[in-house]
Amino acid sequence: MKQVLGKLRKAATDFNMIQDGDKIAVGVSGGKDSNLLLKALKMYQRFANEKFELFAITIDMGFENYDPTPLIKYCEELGVPHKIVHTQIDEILFEVRKEKNPCSLCANMRRGILHDTAKELGCNKVALGHHLNDAIETFLLSMFYEGRLNTFSPVTYLSRKDIYLIRPFVYVYEKEIIGACNKFNIPVVKNPCPANGETKRQYIKDLIKQIEHDIPFVKDNILGAIMNTEQLNIWDKDRIQKICGSKTT
């Protein structure tokens, strides 16, 4: 956990993610990434120079076998206010629209609900559990399926919503998250979606594992390409710092 917190702090500093007075809504899905992010931000809150508030938001997509009880208990133990938003996303995707490839539409619907709920709670930022593996996978997905070089930014400003998206785990590898979750017995609520594990992202994840057998440092090299290719300008620290404004001391 010390390593995870160190990388979270570095990301927060490098990209000016957190400032005094922030109200940060953490999107808590029940998976290992977002659940650990909530705990890590709670721990970071204790020693950070910046004073900020935390809230947890969970989107209930309407699956019959979904049980958020472990999440409710987890947030209570951390002392973080927790709001569950009940939706009919399941019915819309699989019964009304009968989507064969529902992931993109599902993600858009969940994002919209998450952002709206964060605004209702008075939050100015939303923290997502995307980690370094996610950034690399997104980079390859964009290149392979869209013919362009792109991935998500550590900080994004949504002008229509007037809210910032921050990704404090952008320097953290998935294996580090798994290790911390196992050590701290972080609860994980299984994703009940029938499309889970059958996505293009899962294909890319498996492909990277295969490549690592021959090139063990392939993820580090892809990260270097993302950060050091001037034409991309995706993770440029100066650009993102300007988006967020000057950090106060």
Side-chain angles (χ1 to χ4, degrees):
M1 195 64 181
K2 183 178 180 181
Q3 189 173 20
V4 170
L5 281 173
K7 291 187 174 184
L8 184 153
R9 185 173 192 171
K10 178 174 172 53
T13 301
D14 283 354
F15 302 110
N16 199 14
M17 288 184 179
I18 300 174
Q19 298 174 341
D20 278 330
D22 280 346
K23 293 185 177 181
I24 303 174
V26 183
V28 179
S29 67
K32 66 183 187 312
D33 307 329
S34 61
N35 286 9
L36 182 67
L37 176 62
L38 184 65
K39 183 177 181 65
L41 283 172
K42 184 65 178 179
M43 295 175 71
Y44 179 66
Q45 190 181 45
R46 297 171 186 166
F47 63 83
N49 293 326
E50 302 80 11
K51 305 301 179 185
F52 59 93
E53 297 180 52
L54 285 175
F55 301 84
I57 300 175
T58 298
I59 309 299
D60 175 3
M61 299 201 301
F63 293 108
E64 290 184 2
N65 56 340
Y66 176 71
D67 180 14
T69 304
L71 288 180
I72 296 172
K73 183 179 179 181
Y74 179 60
C75 291
E76 288 177 350
E77 291 174 349
L78 290 177
V80 177
H82 182 209
K83 182 177 180 63
I84 299 177
V85 183
H86 301 284
T87 74
Q88 295 179 315
I89 294 177
D90 172 32
E91 180 180 349
I92 294 170
L93 291 178
F94 297 105
E95 296 182 26
V96 177
R97 297 178 61 100
K98 301 185 185 302
E99 293 282 338
K100 294 182 179 179
N101 299 297
C103 298
S104 179
L105 178 58
C106 177
N108 287 335
M109 294 175 70
R110 286 186 289 111
R111 277 197 296 265
I113 295 169
L114 176 61
H115 301 163
D116 289 342
T117 304
K119 292 295 290 185
E120 291 172 7
L121 292 174
C123 296
N124 64 317
K125 292 181 179 176
V126 172
L128 303 174
H130 296 144
H131 48 68
L132 192 47
N133 292 63
D134 290 325
I136 292 168
E137 291 159 13
T138 301
F139 182 73
L140 294 182
L141 280 165
S142 179
M143 183 169 61
F144 290 173
Y145 292 101
E146 299 174 0
R148 63 193 184 109
L149 300 178
N150 190 46
T151 190
F152 54 72
S153 173
V155 176
T156 304
Y157 176 65
L158 304 180
S159 57
R160 288 193 303 172
K161 299 284 187 179
D162 187 28
I163 201 167
Y164 291 90
L165 304 184
I166 63 174
R167 296 174 169 93
F169 275 176
V170 290
Y171 287 152
V172 183
Y173 280 111
E174 185 175 25
K175 64 181 181 181
E176 295 169 328
I177 292 175
I178 294 172
C181 285
N182 290 337
K183 183 175 181 179
F184 284 89
N185 295 317
I186 302 297
V188 175
V189 177
K190 185 178 179 181
N191 184 354
C193 178
N196 187 39
E198 299 179 5
T199 63
K200 291 178 180 178
R201 182 173 293 275
Q202 186 62 48
Y203 168 74
I204 293 295
K205 186 186 292 287
D206 295 338
L207 179 63
I208 292 173
K209 288 182 180 179
Q210 294 178 33
I211 296 174
E212 281 185 304
H213 287 300
D214 296 321
I215 312 174
F217 44 84
V218 64
K219 289 201 291 285
D220 293 333
N221 283 353
I222 296 174
L223 172 63
I226 292 172
M227 299 191 69
N228 299 324
T229 302
E230 293 183 3
Q231 290 84 347
L232 291 181
N233 199 32
I234 303 169
W235 283 24
D236 182 77
K237 296 176 185 178
D238 292 336
R239 180 185 66 84
I240 294 176
Q241 292 251 356
K242 289 178 183 178
I243 292 174
C244 297
S246 299
K247 183 180 283 292
T248 57
T249 57

